[in-house]
Amino acid sequence: MPREQIERQEMPTQDPQERIHNFYEVALGYPEEVAKLEAQRCLQCKKPRCVEGCPVEVPIPQFILALREGDLAGSIRVMKTKNNLPAICGRVCPQETQCESMCVLGKKGQPVAIGRLERFIADWERSTGVQKPEIAPPTGKRVAVIGAGPAGLTAAGDLARYGHKVTIYEALHAPGGVLIYGIPEFRLPKDVVRSEVDYVLSLGVDLVLDCVVGKTLTLEDLFADGYEAIFLGTGAGLPMFMSIPGENYNGVYSANEFLTRVNLMKAYLFPEYDTPVKIGKRVAVIGAGNVAMDAARSSLRLGAEEVYIVYRRSRDEVPARAEEVHHAEEEGIQFKFLTNPVEIYGNDKGWVRGMRCIRMALGEPDASGRPRPVPIPGSEFDMEVDNVIMALGTRPNPMVFTDALGIERTRHGTIVGDPITGRTTRPRVWAGGDIVTGAATVISAMGAGKRAAADIDAFLKGAFTEADWHVKKEEVPAAHP
Amino acid sequence: MYEILYREDLAPVTKLIEVKAPLVARKARAGQFVVIRVNEKGERIPLTIADFDREKGTLTLIFQEVGKTTMMLGTKRAGDYLASVVGPLGHPSEIENYGTVVCVGGGVGIAPIFPIARELKHAGNKVISIIGARNKDLLFWEDRMRTVSDELVVTTDDGSYGRKALVTEPLKEMLSAGLKPARIWAIGPAIMMKFVSLTTQPFAAPTIVSLNSIMVDGTGMCGACRVSVGGQTRFVCVEGPEFDGHQVDWNLLLERQRIYVDEEKRALEHWKDHGCGCDDGC
């Protein structure tokens, strides 16, 4: 069939009526024939714009070419020259605003399904045995990476391949960061995360769990221990609330707490696992980012009868990925746009009973460039709900700073980091991911980890010294929560 | 994995364990806590650090068996292991030479008040301590508290030992008699800390309490531990655990502590029905 006549291939998914009762993965991945067919669509542009849209610069045309020629091993090898975590990226990257948004085919029709092809090739490798890449000879230099999330894992993987000895320190009892506590099983199975973490460890990276840097060990301790460079990828921290009355009633969760209970602590398997979560009949999730979709869809799977996404702007401003919104709608999540809670009310035992909301209208653009939501006076109404989950984003965790003198922070509490090199204002300390940008995406954190790893490598190999240390203090624009 | 080196039954439901956690012991200070996990399927729960030995690299933890997790923990013996011990978390107590201070420990709260009293004594304070429990069986560490206190009052609710009173009674008498402590520390069940705070408020005696809220990660990520202090939402794990007792919204704290009462019962029943004694939580 001529290339132009091939339609963008749909990915099979679990039936919505079935999947709302389980935590198995929703999207099932391409079968090999479909992947090859989709790969046929790629024009193999001489100047591939898709690569410009990828924060880690995956050689997209090359991996697709190898895939369509049936050289699956070659395809994944090309992929992994740039991306240590393709099975994760293939699932959770917002491709529609990155690589796929730049695809030439998208101008007139549908772009190549780059993300689905990435997922296919990564899953193929996992099922056939993961190859180990070439690793540079040991340099004898040691690097500490703080945080085993997307930024830290990426930085650690690259640094190990450059030949440095890397140890990752993780505060939780399992590696993965947001990949393991935040993103639900039905969107990113934990065994996928585990196998990508194992891959990074197979490069010779050590992992220390249950270790809170800033508390258990300080940066000074790590330097005294002989580490020559430190990368901070500690992520975002404290969840944000709205500061409205009733926010601390029982049954009000931050999305972080709710998702941590469900994902990391496996509350959906309670009482086989010890950590519970309380789900009522009607759940309202405040916010409309990916985290909000995850919380809403998890609530449904945990037995809620009605689940609402309550969002103060309109459908056009929804920050979640189109695919996640689509999946949520298919599952019966109800969207309440232009609606903002003003008060949560409870019963005499301190439990949530309902939520008072006000209708909003869109006004002039605000600092984010989006129309500012303005309350419509007198439009208050009540919603009966048993749970309210706040998915409003996070602000940086203060913990790591208890000892980290010399690391400048922005007025938002994030670390001042050079957007290109990841250098902080303290020599030998680099940072990347949400701790620098505020809540953003997995792939942007990975991009930051990658850039910092390259700069750390240059430093350790003597390309510059502490005397040359300078930081471009450009405030990195945060993604919309 | 963190080895338990020693275990002691302080009372029928109050147990002491000494756990090997050298990195945590190296940094631990009075007033801080750890988050532990008993096994792979276990909850993450906060426990205050009752003592630490930097040389031996050990932490002393004291807990009361109230639900499945603490009961499972209670089955552990020397030579057994805990899946996680994370810390030290929270801010240490602010120890200075204030002059005269009062340390009030209720029930299992006697454990965390001990290192604070000891540090205060070392710093040169006159330490007056009041420890109490429901009955004689639940009382422990009277001897240790005596060694770090200039005065020690012991109470039991039922009069089975010491003075028959709640800890608030001798405290109120002292304050009424004109004692003006620079600071009062009170640690124990939330309801006790509430009443200590209510007792000291009319005397404007600065009262510090150590809040025992529900936590998950304990490192400032989840927000489960939020409390209202002075009308503002605060996070016990990273901003506490110590707060001004006069500013705490006690009713909210008490209600939040009861969120999972039903689930705790279910977990316990499930464990008793299915437990094979292997304490893997199966």
Side-chain angles (χ1 to χ4, degrees), chain A residues 216 221 248 253-254 256 274 397, chain B residues 27 68 87 219 222 226 260:
Chain A
T216 318
D221 292 332
N248 293 325
Y253 285 108
S254 74
N256 263 8
D274 291 343
N397 190 326
Chain B
K27 287 276 165 30
K68 179 188 170 183
T219 64
C222 82
R226 64 194 194 274
Y260 297 108

Side-chain angles (χ1 to χ4, degrees), chain A residues 117-443:
Chain A
L117 293 177
E118 177 179 32
R119 172 186 163 142
F120 167 77
I121 199 73
D123 286 355
W124 172 83
E125 189 195 33
R126 281 193 308 118
S127 67
T128 54
V130 175
Q131 316 164 52
K132 218 165 145 178
E134 268 183 55
I135 296 177
T139 60
K141 309 276 186 185
R142 292 169 68 211
V143 185
V145 168
I146 318 305
L153 288 170
T154 303
D158 279 12
L159 287 163
R161 286 166 66 174
Y162 293 136
H164 308 303
K165 186 68 200 143
V166 183
T167 304
I168 306 180
Y169 292 90
E170 166 58 43
L172 290 172
H173 59 262
V178 70
L179 307 170
I180 198 140
Y181 74 75
I183 304 179
E185 189 74 13
F186 57 81
R187 203 149 74 80
L188 179 64
K190 298 299 158 275
D191 61 350
V192 171
V193 178
R194 189 65 230 184
S195 83
E196 305 232 271
V197 169
D198 286 345
Y199 169 75
V200 171
L201 300 184
S202 78
L203 306 175
V205 172
D206 289 331
L207 173 65
V208 179
L209 298 171
D210 293 331
C211 183
V212 186
V213 169
K215 290 286 182 185
T216 318
L217 285 175
T218 63
L219 297 186
E220 312 308 330
D221 292 332
L222 293 170
F223 281 127
D225 240 16
Y227 289 105
E228 296 188 47
I230 296 176
F231 175 76
L232 297 175
T234 50
L238 298 170
M240 295 207 274
F241 289 89
M242 299 184 76
S243 303
I244 57 173
E247 232 170 10
N248 293 325
Y249 276 128
N250 291 350
V252 181
Y253 285 108
S254 74
N256 263 8
E257 178 186 356
F258 178 76
L259 291 171
T260 300
R261 284 179 179 274
V262 176
N263 299 322
L264 176 71
M265 306 309 293
K266 303 201 188 301
Y268 63 95
L269 298 175
F270 179 85
E272 193 200 329
Y273 281 74
D274 291 343
T275 306
V277 69
K278 276 276 197 195
I279 284 290
K281 283 195 177 128
R282 282 175 297 266
V283 178
V285 179
I286 318 300
N290 289 324
V291 173
M293 301 304 143
D294 287 345
R297 297 170 68 199
S298 297
S299 303
L300 202 65
R301 285 159 173 78
L302 289 162
E305 288 167 16
E306 310 249 344
V307 182
Y308 311 102
I309 291 272
V310 177
Y311 184 50
R312 62 195 182 129
R313 300 179 200 257
S314 76
R315 176 177 289 271
D316 289 344
E317 289 81 34
V318 164
R321 292 185 64 196
E323 185 174 311
E324 303 310 325
V325 175
H326 173 66
H327 283 161
E329 280 176 331
E330 276 185 340
E331 291 168 11
I333 307 289
Q334 300 174 49
F335 287 75
K336 305 280 180 197
F337 294 112
L338 294 166
T339 303
N340 206 28
V342 290
E343 182 182 348
I344 296 165
Y345 49 91
N347 63 22
D348 56 356
K349 297 202 170 64
W351 278 90
V352 173
R353 199 163 58 79
M355 192 167 74
R356 178 149 301 165
C357 296
I358 190 161
R359 301 214 189 272
M360 310 291 279
L362 292 181
E364 294 298 304
D366 63 13
S368 73
R370 300 173 297 176
R372 181 192 301 280
V374 191
I376 302 172
S379 67
E380 287 91 348
F381 66 100
D382 290 347
M383 290 173 73
E384 264 185 49
V385 291
D386 319 290
N387 281 107
V388 178
I389 301 174
M390 299 284 181
L392 305 165
T394 53
R395 54 200 163 91
N397 190 326
M399 192 95 83
V400 75
F401 300 109
T402 45
D403 81 300
L405 300 171
I407 295 183
E408 205 177 308
R409 298 164 70 183
T410 68
R411 63 197 158 88
H412 306 295
T414 49
I415 290 182
V416 173
D418 188 307
I420 305 301
T421 62
R423 289 178 212 168
T424 70
T425 49
R426 178 172 173 169
R428 292 179 184 266
V429 180
W430 285 256
D434 286 2
I435 189 68
V436 174
T437 56
T441 59
V442 167
I443 190 70

Side-chain angles (χ1 to χ4, degrees), chain B residues 16-59:
Chain B
L16 174 153
I17 53 172
E18 224 177 87
V19 194
K20 183 111 182 147
L23 289 180
V24 186
R26 195 169 78 172
K27 287 276 165 30
R29 287 167 65 190
Q32 293 185 295
F33 65 93
V34 288
V35 163
I36 66 138
R37 223 167 30 115
V38 179
N39 60 30
E40 279 311 310
K41 294 180 178 176
E43 283 184 286
R44 297 170 63 95
I45 60 159
L47 289 177
T48 327
I49 298 170
D51 207 355
F52 46 86
D53 186 327
R54 300 198 208 284
E55 306 270 296
K56 276 163 62 190
T58 57
L59 296 175

Side-chain angles (χ1 to χ4, degrees), chain A residues 14-180:
Chain A
Q14 234 198 110
D15 179 74
Q17 286 318 305
E18 236 167 74
R19 73 190 191 224
I20 59 172
H21 301 296
N22 67 54
F23 272 81
Y24 300 124
E25 201 167 10
V26 167
L28 301 171
Y30 280 153
E32 187 167 335
E33 295 70 30
V34 178
K36 284 182 176 159
L37 192 61
E38 180 65 29
Q40 291 291 338
R41 299 180 65 232
C42 175
L43 299 177
Q44 294 291 310
C45 303
K46 284 276 178 298
K47 280 191 180 167
R49 299 203 49 222
C50 50
V51 179
E52 292 167 32
C54 174
V56 301
E57 297 168 355
V58 164
I60 293 166
Q62 289 88 330
F63 101 79
I64 293 180
L65 182 66
L67 162 57
R68 100 175 161 212
E69 288 175 350
D71 177 13
L72 302 185
S75 178
I76 188 72
R77 199 160 48 237
V78 170
M79 166 72 66
K80 282 198 165 170
T81 57
K82 292 289 183 181
N83 187 352
N84 289 325
L85 314 170
I88 292 168
C89 288
R91 286 171 166 82
V92 302
C93 269
Q95 291 100 8
E96 68 271 24
T97 60
Q98 297 182 334
C99 52
E100 292 179 15
S101 75
M102 312 285 272
C103 177
V104 173
L105 286 186
K107 294 261 186 307
K108 284 188 180 161
Q110 289 283 312
V112 175
I114 300 167
R116 295 171 185 175
L117 293 177
E118 177 179 32
R119 172 186 163 142
F120 167 77
I121 199 73
D123 286 355
W124 172 83
E125 189 195 33
R126 281 193 308 118
S127 67
T128 54
V130 175
Q131 316 164 52
K132 218 165 145 178
E134 268 183 55
I135 296 177
T139 60
K141 309 276 186 185
R142 292 169 68 211
V143 185
V145 168
I146 318 305
L153 288 170
T154 303
D158 279 12
L159 287 163
R161 286 166 66 174
Y162 293 136
H164 308 303
K165 186 68 200 143
V166 183
T167 304
I168 306 180
Y169 292 90
E170 166 58 43
L172 290 172
H173 59 262
V178 70
L179 307 170
I180 198 140

